[in-house]
Amino acid sequence: MRRASSFRAAYDAALGRWPGPVDSVDLPTPYGVTRVNRCGPAGAPPLVLLPGGGATSTVWGACVAARAARAHRVHAVDLVGDPGLSVPAADRAIRSVGDLVGWLDAVLDGLGPHGPVTLAGHSYGAWIAAHHAALRPDRLGRLVLLDPTQVFTGLRPGYVLRALPVLTRPTPERIRSFLAWETRGAALDPAWLRLQEESAGFPAVRPVTGPRPDLAGLAHPSGGGSRVDVLFAGLARCHDSGRAARAAREVLPGAAVDVLPGVAHHALPLTAAEEIVRRLAR
C-alpha cells in the first residue's frame, strides 16, 4: 500500500508540472481500463501520444509546455500493463500485436476523435504506433515516430545487457544509474525521475514483443506530402541512429526522416520538445 501511494504521489507531482488544466479519463477496453490525460481545445484535431516502456503518459509534459496543445486536443495514454494508472483486465491480458492493435482501437473509439488521428509514440510506444498505423491506415492522419525501437533496426547487444538488471530486478538506484548512463548525464525533469524510481515497485508485466511492422502501405502516401515523420536520437545507445535512419528512408521513401544531434534515446521526449512539437504541428 505504501508503494502504491508513493507511486501515485510521484505520478500526480509529475502530471502537476503540465501547464494549464488537464482532464483525466479512464476508458474501458476489453483489456482493462486505460488512463488518458487530456488537454487542449476540446474540438481540436486529436493528437494521441504513446510513451516509451515504463515512462508513463506524464513524460509528454515538456511537449505540452512547448504548446503541443495549441492546435490539437492532446490525449496522452498510459500503456496497459506498464507503470501508470491504467489497470489491466484480470481475465484478458495483452499478449500479441493483434491485442495491442485491438486495445488501441478501443482507446480511440473511447476518445471519439473527429476525423483522422495524429498518432505519435516514443521507443516502445513508437513500435505500437507503427503496428497500429500499418494495420489501421484508415484511422491515421499522421504518424510521428520518436527514436522507434525494433521498427527499422534491432537493439545493440551492449544496450540490452546494460538494461537487463533494470528490467529483471528494478531498483531506484538501478533505474537512475541506467538513465544517467544512457542519456550521458542529461538534465531530466526531477519530478519525472522520481516517478521512474517509484516505478521499481510496480507489478511487472511482460511486454509484448514481435516482428517489425510492415509499413509498405505507408511508403507512398496518396495526395502528396508526407504522412510520416521519424526522428532519431543522435546519441542513442539502443541502436545506431544513422543506420536506423537510413533503414527508415529505404522502408518509407515518402517520409520525413531526421536525426536529432546531441539527444539520447531516454532523454526524449523530455528534451528537444520544441522540435518534436514542430513536427507534430505540421
Side-chain angles (χ1 to χ4, degrees):
M1 182 63 71
R2 185 188 67 80
R3 282 184 175 179
S5 62
S6 60
F7 176 87
R8 180 58 188 266
Y11 184 102
D12 290 344
L15 188 62
R17 292 171 66 88
W18 288 28
V22 177
D23 170 30
S24 299
V25 62
D26 291 321
L27 298 177
T29 78
Y31 301 94
V33 175
T34 300
R35 169 59 61 97
V36 181
N37 293 308
R38 310 183 295 187
C39 59
L47 169 60
V48 177
L49 303 174
L50 304 181
T56 78
S57 60
T58 67
V59 77
W60 296 102
C63 290
V64 174
R67 305 187 71 186
R70 177 177 57 182
H72 287 92
R73 177 65 166 171
V74 169
H75 306 275
V77 180
D78 280 348
L79 304 179
V80 168
D82 257 27
L85 300 187
S86 293
V87 181
D91 58 348
R92 191 172 182 183
I94 293 178
R95 301 187 185 279
S96 67
V97 169
D99 290 342
L100 280 171
V101 171
W103 162 75
L104 190 49
D105 275 338
V107 171
L108 295 179
D109 290 342
L111 294 175
H114 302 287
V117 169
T118 295
L119 180 61
H122 170 238
S123 190
Y124 180 56
W127 183 79
I128 297 172
H131 272 290
H132 189 272
L135 295 173
R136 301 287 191 270
D138 56 308
R139 304 199 74 159
L140 181 70
R142 289 184 58 248
L143 176 67
V144 181
L145 305 177
L146 302 180
D147 213 37
T149 49
Q150 305 284 66
V151 174
F152 303 105
T153 59
L155 296 173
R156 282 174 166 160
Y159 172 86
V160 174
L161 287 173
R162 190 73 180 241
L164 274 176
V166 180
L167 297 174
T168 56
R169 294 187 62 188
T171 66
E173 295 76 20
R174 285 179 175 179
I175 290 171
R176 183 175 285 271
S177 175
F178 175 76
L179 289 173
W181 168 75
E182 200 287 323
T183 65
R184 294 169 168 82
L188 304 178
D189 179 2
W192 181 80
L193 271 177
R194 179 192 163 209
L195 177 57
Q196 288 300 103
E197 293 176 359
E198 291 292 341
S199 71
F202 204 86
V205 175
R206 185 180 179 86
V208 172
T209 58
R212 295 175 191 171
D214 181 1
L215 300 176
L218 303 178
H220 299 286
S222 60
S226 173
R227 296 176 65 201
V228 185
D229 275 75
V230 189
L231 283 174
F232 290 98
L235 296 182
R237 294 188 189 267
C238 57
H239 49 212
D240 181 325
S241 56
R243 178 170 169 263
R246 289 191 295 272
R249 293 186 185 105
E250 291 178 3
V251 173
L252 294 169
V257 181
D258 290 295
V259 178
L260 292 172
V263 181
H265 177 78
H266 288 283
L268 293 175
L270 296 162
T271 59
E274 294 286 347
E275 176 61 21
I276 292 169
V277 169
R278 187 177 75 81
R279 299 301 181 109
L280 294 173
R282 294 208 303 196

